[in-house]
Amino acid sequence: MMNRMDGGGEARINYLDGDFEVVRPGAYVLCAVTGQPIPLDLLRYWSVARQEAYVDAAASLKRELEINPSLGRATG
C-alpha cells in the first residue's frame, strides 16, 4: 500500500493497478455497492476504471453486472 496513513473517518483513495494511494488519510472507505465501511487494511477489491471500492468479490461482480448486464446473460 502506498502512502497509507491511519486516521479516523473516511479516507480518499486513488485506486491503481494492484495497489492504491491514500490521497486523504482515514481509517476506511465505503463500498460502492453496499455502503459498508471497509478498513484500509482489509481493502482487496476495487475498480481502477470506476475508482470504486468493494467490500468483497460478490459486491464487485454485482457492480460489474449492473454496468454490463450482457455479461450475466447465458449463451447457448
Side-chain angles (χ1 to χ4, degrees), residues 11-37:
R12 184 140 212 216
I13 303 293
N14 182 19
Y15 299 101
L16 308 170
D17 288 327
D19 203 355
F20 57 87
E21 176 183 22
V22 176
V23 176
R24 184 180 68 213
Y28 65 89
V29 292
L30 295 177
C31 176
V33 175
T34 67
Q36 184 176 352

Side-chain angles (χ1 to χ4, degrees), residues 26-57:
Y28 65 89
V29 292
L30 295 177
C31 176
V33 175
T34 67
Q36 184 176 352
I38 309 164
L40 292 187
D41 59 340
L42 298 178
L43 180 59
R44 304 284 183 269
Y45 302 94
W46 61 81
S47 168
V48 173
R50 291 188 288 278
Q51 291 294 293
E52 297 179 333
Y54 309 110
V55 70
D56 57 24

